[in-house]
C-alpha cells in the first residue's frame, strides 16, 4: 500500500459516493463498511490512523460492566442496549481479527461479604446478555483461589472474588487493518491529509478542500455525502461547516499508566469495581507490561493532551490500596491521555454517567456527523452511519452491510503453527515470531522475509520489534513519520518512553533511507518525536 498512489487517487477528478473525515476506529470502520458495499469511498485523516483516542484506549473489547450496572440502577434502556450490542460486537472482533484480539480472564476482588452477591449477580447478567456468544461463565473464587490468581493482592480484609471474561486487543493496529482492508475493497485512504474547508453550492455541501500535511499542497475532493467521524474533534469540524452550531460533546480524559510486568496478575487482569469516587479501575497484562487505567475527568479538546499529575496520583493511590506492593512514580514506564467523545447530556452529574452510545446528526448543508460511541461498537456505528448516508444521499450500494462476517487482513489464513514456521524458516526466536504473528497475522511471513534484506536486528534489545518492521510499515502500511512507527505500527512509545527514545535514530535511519529524507527532515522528525515523548505522547 503506497501513500503516493492513494494521494494520486484522491486528487483525481472523480466524485466519490462517500468521503469520511477521520482515521480512527469509527472513520476506518465506516470506510470499510461503505467500500465493502460497493460504494466509491475516500477517507482522510489529518495525522496518522488511530492518532488520537483510538490508540489510547484501555485495550479492552468489552460490553461495559459499569454501563450494565447503570442500566439496572437507573432502569436505562439506552445503557442496556449499548451493553447488549457491545457484547455482540465483542464476539465479532474476536472472530474477524483473531491475530489482534484474544479472550482475557479478569477477576474482581471483594472486601465486603455484602458485595459478593451483588457483583456475582451483575456479572452473571453480563454472561446472560452475551448469550451463545459468551466467552466463559463467571464464577465465584475463594480467597485462596483469588490470591493464587493475583498474588499481589492486599490480603487484609479480602473476602472472595468473581472471575469473568472479556476481550483484549491491539487498538492502533486494529484501526490500521480496518483502513487497509477498506483500501483492499476499493477505498482511497490517506493519512496526514487535513480538511481545511467545506465547499458548497447554494448552501449544499459539494465536497471539501484538503491539504497534504507533508507537502503543503491543497486540492478539492468531491463527494455526494461527507461524514464527520473525527471523535473528540467532531464539533471543531462541524464549525467549519456552520460556525454557529451548538456543541454535541462533553469530552472527558482517560489517563493510563504502564508499569513493569511484575505488577500484572499472572493469569489475566484485575477489575477493581469501585474506587473512592465510584469508578472502575483495571490492572491488565499488556505486551509484557501492566496497564493501569482509567480516569474520567472533564477535559478540553486538544490534539495531544497531557496526563495530569493529579490523575496519575489517583491511579497510583488506588493501586497501593489494592496491591501489596510498593508502587511509586519511578516505576512508571509510560503514560498517556486519551479523550472520550461523550455525547453531551446536561442532566448528567459527571462525565462517568454519560452514555457511550452514539448519535448521528445532519447539518442543513448535508454534513453527516457521528458522535459518541466506544471502540467495541465501531462496526455497529459504521453500519448505522453508512445506512443513514445511503438514505440521505440516495446512494446505490451493490449490497447491504456485510462487515459482521468480513475477516480483516491478517486473519484470513492464520494457522496455529505459524510462529513455529517463522522460527524454522527465518531463524527467529520464539518471542519475535510470536510478536510478528500477533501483530500481522498471516502477513507475518512478509515481514520476516524483509529480515533477509536488513537482518533480524531489533530496534531495542529489550523488545521483540525488528528493524525489518520499519521497512514493512513504510512500504505496505503508509507510515510516513517516526511517530507513526513507534506509536501506531509498533506500541513501543506506549510501553516504554525511554526505549522509544533510544530507538529514534534507528527508525530515522531506516525510514529516512526509504523515503529519501534530507538532513533537515531527519532533524525535524527527531525533534517532533522527542517532543511527543516529553509530552507523554
Amino acid at each position: 500500500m503506497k501513500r503516493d498512489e492513494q494521494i494520486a487517487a484522491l486528487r483525481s477528478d472523480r466524485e466519490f459516493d462517500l468521503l469520511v473525515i477521520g482515521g480512527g476506529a469509527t472513520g476506518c470502520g465506516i470506510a470499510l463498511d461503505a467500500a465493502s458495499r460497493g460504494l466509491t469511498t475516500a477517507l482522510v485523516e489529518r495525522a496518522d490512523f488511530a492518532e488520537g483516542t483510538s490508540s489510547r484506549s484501555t485495550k479492552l473489547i468489552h460490553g461495559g460492566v459499569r454501563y450494565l450496572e447503570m442500566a439496572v440502577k437507573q432502569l436505562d434502556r439506552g445503557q442496556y442496549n449499548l451493553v447488549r450490542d457491545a457484547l455482540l460486537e465483542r464476539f465479532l472482533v474476536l472472530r474477524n481479527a483473531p491475530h489482534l484480539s484474544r479472550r482475557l480472564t479478569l477477576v474482581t476482588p471483594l472486601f465486603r461479604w455484602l458485595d459478593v452477591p451483588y457483583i456475582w449477580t451483575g456479572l452473571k447478567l453480563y454472561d446472560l446478555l452475551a448469550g451463545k456468544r459468551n466467552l466463559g461463565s463467571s464464577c465465584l473464587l475463594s480467597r485462596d483461589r483469588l490470591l493464587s490468581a493475583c498474588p499481589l493482592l492486599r490480603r487484609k480484609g479480602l473476602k472472595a472474588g468473581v472471575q469473568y471474561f472479556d476481550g483484549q486487543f491491539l487498538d492502533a493496529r486494529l484501526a490500521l487493518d480496518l483502513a487497509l482492508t477498506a483500501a483492499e475493497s476499493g477505498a482511497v485512504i490517506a493519512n496526514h491529509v487535513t480538511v481545511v474547508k467545506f465547499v458548497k453550492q447554494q448552501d449544499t455541501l459539494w465536497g471539501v478542500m484538503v491539504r497534504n500535511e507533508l507537502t503543503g499542497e491543497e486540492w478539492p475532493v468531491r463527494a455526494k455525502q461527507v461524514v464527520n467521524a473525527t471523535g473528540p474533534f467532531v464539533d471543531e469540524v462541524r464549525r467549519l461547516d456552520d460556525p454557529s452550531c451548538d456543541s454535541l460533546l462533553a469530552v472527558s480524559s482517560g489517563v493510563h499508566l504502564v508499569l513493569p510486568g511484575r505488577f500484572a496478575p499472572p493469569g489475566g487482569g484485575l477489575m477493581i469495581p469501585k474506587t473512592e469516587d465510584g469508578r472502575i479501575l483495571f490492572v491488565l497484562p499488556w505486551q509484557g507490561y501492566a496497564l493501569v487505567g482509567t480516569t474520567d475527568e472533564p477535559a478540553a479538546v486538544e490534539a495531544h493532551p497531557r496526563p495530569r499529575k493529579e490523575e496519575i496520583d489517583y491511579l497510583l493511590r488506588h493501586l497501593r490500596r489494592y496491591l501489596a506492593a510498593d508502587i511509586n512514580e519511578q516505576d512508571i514506564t509510560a503514560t498517556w491521555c486519551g479523550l472520550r467523545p461523550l455525547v453531551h447530556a446536561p442532566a448528567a452529574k459527571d462525565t462517568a454517567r454519560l452514555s457511550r452510545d452514539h448519535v448521528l446528526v445532519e447539518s442543513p448543508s448535508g454534513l453527516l456527523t457521528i458522535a459518541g460511541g466506544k471502540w467495541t461498537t465501531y462496526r455497529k456505528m459504521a453500519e448505522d452511519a453508512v445506512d443513514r448516508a445511503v438514505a440521505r444521499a440516495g446512494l446505490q450500494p451493490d449490497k447491504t452491510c456485510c462487515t459482521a462476517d468480513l475477516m480483516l487482513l491478517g486473519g484470513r489464513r492464520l494457522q496455529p503453527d505459524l510462529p513455529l514456521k517463522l522460527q524454522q524458516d527465518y531463524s527467529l526466536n520464539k518471542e519475535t515470531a510470536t510478536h510478528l504473528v500477533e501483530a500481522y497475522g498471516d502477513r507475518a511471513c512478509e515481514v520476516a522475509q524483509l529480515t533477509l534484506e536488513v537482518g533480524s536486528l531489533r530496534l531495542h534489545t529489550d523488545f521483540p520489534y525488528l528493524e525489518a518492521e520499519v521497512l514493512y510499515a513504510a512500504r505496505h502500511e503508509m507510515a510516513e513519520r517516526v511517530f507513526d512507527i513507534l506509536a501506531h505500527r509498533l506500541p513501543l512509545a506506549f510501553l516504554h518512553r525511554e526505549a522509544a527514545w533510544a530507538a529514534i535514530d534507528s527508525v530515522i535511519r531506516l525510514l529516512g533511507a526509504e523515503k529519501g529524507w534530507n538532513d533537515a527532515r531527519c532533524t525535524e522528525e527527531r525533534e517532533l518525536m522527542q517532543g511527543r515523548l516529553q509530552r507523554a505522547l
Side-chain angles (χ1 to χ4, degrees):
M1 180 70 62
K2 300 291 186 182
R3 181 175 179 273
D4 289 347
E5 295 172 356
Q6 298 295 303
I7 292 292
L10 193 64
R11 297 194 66 158
S12 66
D13 292 332
R14 68 194 293 193
E15 180 183 41
F16 293 95
D17 289 326
L18 203 68
L19 170 66
V20 184
I21 309 172
T26 306
C28 292
I30 292 170
L32 175 57
D33 187 297
S36 64
R37 298 192 199 196
L39 297 172
T40 57
T41 304
L43 177 146
V44 294
E45 161 58 46
R46 67 179 177 181
D48 189 27
F49 305 113
E51 173 81 16
T53 298
S54 295
S55 61
R56 298 157 189 267
S57 75
T58 312
K59 322 301 181 188
L60 286 175
I61 292 290
H62 62 142
V65 173
R66 182 181 74 187
Y67 308 120
L68 179 58
E69 181 182 25
M70 287 191 287
V72 173
K73 282 184 174 180
Q74 301 169 15
L75 299 178
D76 187 331
R77 177 165 285 276
Q79 298 275 21
Y80 174 88
N81 291 339
L82 174 66
V83 177
R84 181 198 59 200
D85 290 347
L87 287 170
L88 168 60
E89 298 301 325
R90 178 187 70 177
F91 168 79
L92 296 178
V93 171
L94 290 167
R95 185 182 68 185
N96 294 339
H99 55 305
L100 299 176
S101 59
R102 65 186 182 97
R103 187 180 83 153
L104 180 68
T105 302
L106 294 117
V107 295
T108 300
L110 302 173
F111 291 84
R112 299 191 312 162
W113 285 117
L114 286 175
D115 290 335
V116 173
Y118 179 78
I119 298 295
W120 182 79
T121 301
L123 289 171
K124 278 298 181 184
L125 178 58
Y126 195 63
D127 293 348
L128 185 63
L129 271 179
K132 64 182 181 181
R133 300 176 182 89
N134 191 25
L135 301 182
S137 183
S138 302
C139 64
L140 285 172
L141 297 179
S142 67
R143 184 177 186 273
D144 289 344
R145 284 188 64 195
L146 182 59
L147 288 171
S148 177
C150 300
L152 281 181
L153 270 175
R154 193 170 294 280
R155 287 163 165 73
K156 185 178 180 180
L158 184 64
K159 308 301 182 187
V162 180
Q163 177 179 281
Y164 74 105
F165 302 91
D166 256 324
Q168 190 174 48
F169 75 129
L170 293 175
D171 50 6
R173 289 209 62 89
L174 181 55
L176 175 66
D177 278 359
L178 289 171
L180 296 176
T181 308
E184 180 192 53
S185 300
V188 176
I189 61 171
N191 52 352
H192 302 292
V193 173
T194 300
V195 171
V196 294
K197 69 176 181 179
F198 289 109
V199 182
K200 300 178 183 179
Q201 289 182 342
Q202 298 178 339
D203 296 326
T204 298
L205 202 58
W206 171 90
V208 299
M209 185 69 69
V210 300
R211 179 176 62 239
N212 185 341
E213 293 296 340
L214 301 180
T215 65
E217 297 172 287
E218 294 187 1
W219 67 92
V221 180
R222 292 188 299 148
K224 296 173 184 175
Q225 178 65 62
V226 180
V227 179
N228 172 16
T230 53
F233 302 96
V234 295
D235 287 329
E236 177 184 318
V237 173
R238 289 173 67 238
R239 290 188 181 106
L240 278 178
D241 171 55
D242 178 7
S244 65
C245 68
D246 295 329
S247 296
L248 283 176
L249 299 183
V251 174
S252 75
S253 66
V255 169
H256 296 80
L257 57 85
V258 179
L259 299 167
R262 66 180 182 274
F263 295 113
L270 181 67
M271 189 268 276
I272 297 170
K274 186 172 289 188
T275 59
E276 61 195 22
D277 50 4
R279 298 172 189 166
I280 285 176
L281 188 68
F282 290 99
V283 184
L284 306 172
W286 183 59
Q287 299 287 291
Y289 282 73
L291 171 61
V292 182
T294 178
T295 60
D296 199 335
E297 295 289 342
V301 177
E302 55 182 315
H304 309 302
R306 289 176 182 264
R308 294 189 297 119
K309 186 178 187 306
E310 307 93 275
E311 294 179 284
I312 293 173
D313 290 344
Y314 170 92
L315 295 174
L316 289 174
R317 184 165 65 250
H318 285 89
L319 279 178
R320 296 186 194 108
R321 288 181 184 177
Y322 285 89
L323 299 184
D326 183 19
I327 305 173
N328 54 56
E329 217 167 327
Q330 286 67 46
D331 293 310
I332 298 173
T333 61
T335 60
W336 70 83
C337 178
L339 298 178
R340 295 188 187 88
L342 305 171
V343 177
H344 183 60
K349 295 180 181 179
D350 56 51
T351 54
R353 288 175 171 79
L354 292 176
S355 173
R356 296 302 298 271
D357 210 349
H358 62 277
V359 298
L360 286 159
V361 177
E362 298 177 24
S363 75
S365 71
L367 176 67
L368 180 62
T369 294
I370 184 164
K374 53 184 283 187
W375 232 122
T376 306
T377 58
Y378 83 86
R379 194 209 63 83
K380 177 68 164 58
M381 294 168 65
E383 180 179 357
D384 291 349
V386 177
D387 284 347
R388 179 75 70 88
V390 166
R392 196 206 157 277
L395 306 179
Q396 299 294 320
D398 296 336
K399 53 188 172 183
T400 58
C401 178
C402 59
T403 53
D405 299 312
L406 182 59
M407 293 285 286
L408 300 186
L409 283 175
R412 297 167 186 169
R413 297 175 296 276
L414 197 60
Q415 298 295 327
D417 64 346
L418 185 52
L420 180 60
K421 177 178 172 60
L422 293 176
Q423 293 176 65
Q424 294 172 341
D425 293 354
Y426 299 96
S427 301
L428 300 176
N429 62 38
K430 182 179 180 180
E431 182 188 23
T432 298
T434 300
H435 152 65
L436 291 179
V437 173
E438 291 178 349
Y440 303 93
D442 58 31
R443 295 166 296 166
C445 288
E446 298 176 22
V447 184
Q449 186 69 24
L450 290 174
T451 63
L452 304 180
E453 179 178 334
V454 294
S456 55
L457 289 175
R458 295 185 175 197
L459 287 171
H460 191 284
T461 54
D462 295 337
F463 294 86
Y465 314 132
L466 299 176
E467 290 190 350
E469 293 179 79
V470 178
L471 297 186
Y472 188 83
R475 295 174 185 177
H476 303 288
E477 297 182 335
M478 300 179 68
E480 294 291 328
R481 314 210 75 146
V482 173
F483 194 79
D484 298 353
I485 300 284
L486 290 176
H488 305 137
R489 305 307 180 276
L490 304 171
L492 187 56
F494 284 94
L495 288 171
H496 203 292
R497 185 175 63 181
E498 291 183 4
W501 189 293
I504 290 175
D505 286 341
S506 293
V507 176
I508 289 175
R509 170 175 53 82
L510 293 159
L511 192 56
E514 193 71 19
K515 301 290 183 181
W517 290 350
N518 58 24
D519 290 344
R521 176 64 188 275
C522 291
T523 299
E524 176 190 357
E525 288 291 327
R526 181 179 292 104
E527 291 175 350
L528 283 171
M529 186 68 204
Q530 289 175 344
R532 293 294 297 274
L533 290 174
Q534 287 170 347
R535 286 182 60 90
L537 305 184

